[in-house]
Amino acid sequence: MSWLDWSIIVGFFVVLGVICVSTNRITRSVAGFLSSERCAGRYLLTIAQSMAFCSAIGIIGSYEAYYRNGIGGVWWGMLMMPVGVIIALTGWVSYRYRETRALTMAQFLEMRYSRRFRIFAGIVAFFSGMLNCAVFPMVTARFVIYFFGLPEHYELFGLTLPTYHTAMFVLVGLGVTMAIAGGQITIMVTDFFQGVITSVAFLAVLWFAATHFGWDMIMDTLMASETIDVAAHPDMVERLHRVQGVSMMNPFKQAGLPDFGVPYFIMMAILLFAKQGIWQGGAGYMTAARTPHEAKMGNILSSWRWLMINMGTIVIVMAAYTLVWNSAFAAEQAIIREQVAGIEDKFVQSQVFVPIVIRHMLPAGLLGLFAVYMIGASISTDDSAYHSWGSIFLQDVVMPFRKKPFTKEEHMRYLRWSIAGIGAFAFLFSSIWTLKEFINMWFEITGSIWFGGAACAIIGGLYWSRGTTEGAWAGLLTGSIFSVTGIIVRQIWPDMTFPWNDQIINGVHVAVAAVVLSFLVYFIVSLATCREPVNMDKLLHRGKYAIQRDREVKVREETLATRLLRKIGITPEFSRFDRFIYFAVALWTAGWSITFIIGTAYNLAHDVSSEQWREWWAWILGIQI
């Protein structure tokens, strides 16, 4: 690391500190701490909310995935494009949830079902979120150690201290500090700042890959993956080993790819529908929008925002793959191989491998910018997660048992203590737990403790008037118990396979099964116990239950919006520019979705060579970049 790199890092923390102090002064109420006074506009939401979920651990998880399936995985990832935009354009879950005017998801569950169900659901959500975010410090601390080349131990005042635990303590401390300073207001503004840095970092990475490697070198290296003799040339990392004959470029030569093959993307598309608006890791953002319309527009714009994040991730992993497998970089490969061989734990090897390669790949200046991007991604997700789960613990686990409400000062104080407690648990859990799972798989299996059972109750409660409290209890218990059992089994027998083939059962398999089972149980029990449909107009503040402002909107609706536009999600709140954005996103997604469908059908009917795919990728990636 050069002086330029360290200057970038120091400057980053100075700006974060200034924002933290400034936003702390304007947070004056519990509503401001929890939901930023519901004042966020679409552009703030677009950038900041993307950073709340663009975690350092998530990025490292994407590195593991793309190093396994290459740009061939980009093609199958297009399966989720129509799903994501359908969710955004229709306001799936988020629009109706905002219409309920509930401050938290648990409050909605009490409105829709019962107080007892709210309390139990809050406990389940809290437990799920705790386990999900508790490994954040573990993976990010290892990234810091191996990316910066830090020693395993250091001396301080005559004591020998572990660098791993020190790095975790600092990272957790930063996340907690941002979360308790000004609550959701501080989180949103700092996340927005870090989102801008992300844009700059990814543009710089694209420029570097184009100038340092070049299109031809990258594509030559990816094409050579099909002919690698994996016995003679094993991968440096055991868990990321090459599969004989599997292509890093041609998506139709990936049939033998485990874990991150085609079934993985199909299952993730299913989970995307189930998780939308259900997962509470960024709960403050769900209620931060000025209006339901601003929340909807923020989600629509986010579909393009995530395109940039995904493209930057793909490019840097492909550049790293080129450095590892192209013979022109034999000297760098020898250094990397030696460093990776010194890591005994095969799961840690998998997590830090690509970051180690990036460290030996990027030049001065860009190295510091990338470090800031990763540290920023860590802080932006940690503070949102600690804020969300700390708030959920107090609001949905503690407060329902109190007969006397908190004063404003007490409420703010206990919220901050709850957030600090989440950070302390994450630090302790990461100190003793061993992650025997791909990162993306861990996210899904721990998250499914909550969304695996709660998705049926929340989605059913928002869209189905016959959903009952009994059905919600049955669905939540089914999904949660199944997921917890899956975690225990995976931890004891991490290499367990399906009875009918040698595919290892992973966290995504467990999550999908939990969702399907819970929905099935919810609908069966609800149909058996429903005596009277719920008044959905009252729940969603519609018709005669609408407040005055919403009634005025409904009057305008009859004169400004046609029935067809209403059916496709364009409500009277849409301005002309909003409609332009809506149709632009819709056409963009429709174009790529049609491309995917036609391209897949054509490849199944014809033998398309890898040389043809090389030319096709120039168009796909070129247009998206």
Side-chain angles (χ1 to χ4, degrees):
M1 298 281 286
S2 69
W3 65 268
L4 179 59
D5 298 316
W6 288 113
S7 298
I8 293 172
I9 294 171
V10 171
F12 167 75
F13 282 110
V14 169
V15 175
L16 273 190
V18 171
I19 294 174
C20 191
V21 172
S22 301
T23 52
N24 180 44
R25 294 173 180 172
I26 62 175
T27 304
R28 300 187 179 93
S29 68
V30 174
F33 192 90
L34 290 175
S35 300
S36 66
E37 304 286 1
R38 299 184 190 270
C39 65
R42 65 187 65 176
Y43 300 111
L44 180 61
L45 288 171
T46 298
I47 303 299
Q49 192 169 1
S50 68
M51 289 307 297
F53 294 98
C54 181
S55 62
I57 184 174
I59 294 165
I60 294 170
S62 296
Y63 290 166
E64 286 184 311
Y66 282 122
Y67 188 82
R68 291 299 305 272
N69 57 30
I71 59 173
V74 176
W75 179 261
W76 299 116
M78 289 168 68
L79 268 170
M80 290 183 283
M81 279 191 69
V83 175
V85 177
I86 287 171
I87 288 172
L89 295 181
T90 60
W92 172 249
V93 175
S94 63
Y95 190 88
R96 287 203 171 194
Y97 172 66
R98 181 65 178 81
E99 282 188 310
T100 66
R101 301 186 179 274
L103 191 62
T104 66
M105 184 58 73
Q107 182 184 348
F108 161 72
L109 293 175
E110 181 175 350
M111 294 163 51
R112 181 62 176 82
Y113 298 109
S114 70
R115 182 174 178 79
R116 288 185 177 181
F117 184 74
R118 165 194 175 153
I119 294 172
F120 182 73
I123 294 171
V124 173
F126 174 71
F127 177 70
S128 175
M130 287 270 285
L131 287 182
N132 189 268
C133 74
V135 299
F136 288 5
M138 174 197 309
V139 178
T140 311
R142 289 193 176 113
F143 163 80
V144 169
I145 291 171
Y146 289 101
F147 186 79
F148 287 95
L150 302 178
E152 292 187 6
H153 298 86
Y154 66 98
E155 300 289 333
L156 182 66
F157 302 124
L159 300 174
T160 301
L161 301 175
T163 306
Y164 173 65
H165 290 88
T166 303
M168 284 200 302
F169 182 81
V170 171
L171 290 167
V172 170
L174 288 170
V176 169
T177 300
M178 294 296 168
I180 67 177
Q184 185 63 23
I185 295 177
T186 299
I187 289 171
M188 283 202 304
V189 179
T190 53
D191 286 2
F192 182 89
F193 166 64
Q194 292 164 94
V196 173
I197 291 176
T198 298
S199 300
V200 175
F202 280 155
L203 290 172
V205 165
L206 290 172
W207 169 82
F208 170 78
T211 56
H212 185 70
F213 295 103
W215 173 260
D216 288 337
M217 176 178 283
I218 292 175
M219 296 308 292
D220 287 343
T221 309
L222 294 177
M223 285 186 65
S225 62
E226 303 171 17
T227 57
I228 290 176
D229 184 345
V230 296
H233 302 283
D235 207 299
M236 297 182 190
V237 181
E238 178 184 344
R239 296 188 76 226
L240 300 178
H241 66 277
R242 298 292 97 205
V243 179
Q244 189 70 46
V246 169
S247 175
M248 288 284 287
M249 186 187 67
N250 189 334
F252 292 87
K253 291 185 178 180
Q254 295 189 330
L257 188 65
D259 299 312
F260 296 104
V262 179
Y264 168 79
F265 292 101
I266 295 174
M267 291 187 292
M268 290 301 292
I270 295 171
L271 293 178
L272 191 59
F273 266 118
K275 290 191 295 184
Q276 175 61 27
I278 311 300
W279 185 245
Q280 300 293 291
Y285 283 100
M286 295 182 67
T287 56
R290 285 199 299 265
T291 65
H293 179 65
E294 287 299 292
K296 186 174 184 177
M297 293 305 299
N299 287 332
I300 290 173
L301 289 165
S302 291
S303 63
W304 275 337
R305 169 66 180 170
W306 278 104
L307 178 65
M308 173 179 238
I309 294 173
N310 292 334
M311 190 56 56
T313 303
I314 292 163
V315 169
I316 201 166
V317 176
M318 294 307 96
Y321 180 88
T322 301
L323 186 71
V324 170
W325 287 95
N326 194 294
S327 59
F329 304 101
E332 290 88 343
Q333 291 164 12
I335 297 172
I336 294 169
R337 186 181 298 277
E338 181 180 358
Q339 187 170 356
V340 172
I343 304 172
E344 296 182 1
D345 191 310
K346 64 179 183 179
F347 298 99
V348 175
Q349 269 191 347
S350 174
Q351 295 162 18
V352 302
F353 176 65
V354 173
I356 288 174
V357 177
I358 293 172
R359 179 191 171 207
H360 292 282
M361 179 176 69
L362 297 181
L366 192 50
L367 196 63
L369 186 61
F370 182 80
V372 163
Y373 155 59
M374 289 294 290
I375 294 172
S378 170
I379 296 172
S380 64
T381 303
D382 287 356
D383 57 17
S384 294
Y386 299 158
H387 176 272
S388 295
W389 301 121
S391 301
I392 287 171
F393 174 73
L394 190 69
Q395 299 289 116
D396 304 329
V397 178
V398 175
M399 288 183 65
F401 293 100
R402 283 182 58 87
K403 295 181 179 179
K404 182 181 178 182
F406 290 122
T407 64
K408 172 189 168 183
E409 291 72 20
E410 287 176 333
H411 205 156
M412 295 283 281
R413 181 168 65 253
Y414 288 125
L415 278 170
R416 288 186 165 101
W417 277 111
S418 297
I419 291 168
I422 301 299
F425 174 81
F427 175 81
L428 292 174
F429 186 87
S430 288
S431 298
I432 61 176
W433 187 259
T434 301
L435 188 59
K436 297 181 179 180
E437 184 75 87
F438 281 114
I439 292 170
N440 287 352
M441 310 300 185
W442 174 261
F443 282 165
E444 301 306 328
I445 195 172
T446 53
S448 67
I449 297 174
W450 166 240
F451 70 74
C456 62
I458 294 170
I459 295 173
L462 287 170
Y463 289 93
W464 194 38
S465 63
R466 294 188 174 274
T468 65
T469 302
E470 293 83 358
W473 274 102
L476 179 58
L477 287 171
T478 299
S480 300
I481 292 173
F482 187 89
S483 298
V484 171
T485 303
I487 292 174
I488 295 172
V489 171
R490 288 282 303 126
Q491 196 68 16
I492 299 173
W493 300 289
D495 297 323
M496 176 182 286
T497 62
F498 286 104
W500 53 84
N501 60 29
D502 59 354
Q503 168 66 53
I504 294 177
I505 300 173
N506 58 48
V508 176
H509 295 132
V510 176
V512 171
V515 168
V516 173
L517 285 174
S518 66
F519 266 94
L520 184 63
V521 170
Y522 175 81
F523 284 118
I524 292 174
V525 175
S526 291
L527 287 173
T529 57
C530 181
R531 296 176 179 85
E532 182 179 354
V534 170
N535 187 337
M536 298 300 286
D537 284 344
K538 184 177 181 180
L539 177 70
L540 301 174
H541 300 91
R542 294 178 174 179
K544 66 179 182 179
Y545 301 99
I547 63 173
Q548 185 61 36
R549 183 178 61 183
D550 291 339
R551 287 176 181 172
E552 291 171 358
V553 169
K554 293 298 181 184
V555 172
R556 292 175 57 213
E557 180 178 4
E558 298 304 320
T559 58
L560 297 179
T562 66
R563 184 175 301 176
L564 177 60
L565 289 176
R566 290 199 304 273
K567 286 185 177 180
I568 63 173
I570 298 181
T571 57
E573 300 99 325
F574 276 70
S575 65
R576 288 185 179 180
F577 185 62
D578 293 345
R579 295 185 185 189
F580 168 77
I581 293 173
Y582 181 102
F583 285 116
V585 172
L587 290 172
W588 170 269
T589 307
W592 286 114
S593 299
I594 292 171
T595 299
F596 172 76
I597 293 170
I598 295 176
T600 300
Y602 185 83
N603 275 266
L604 292 174
H606 301 81
D607 184 16
V608 180
S609 68
S610 294
E611 287 75 15
Q612 289 173 296
W613 266 103
R614 173 178 180 148
E615 195 173 317
W616 180 230
W617 279 122
W619 284 98
I620 294 178
L621 299 181
I623 291 171
Q624 294 192 4
I625 289 172

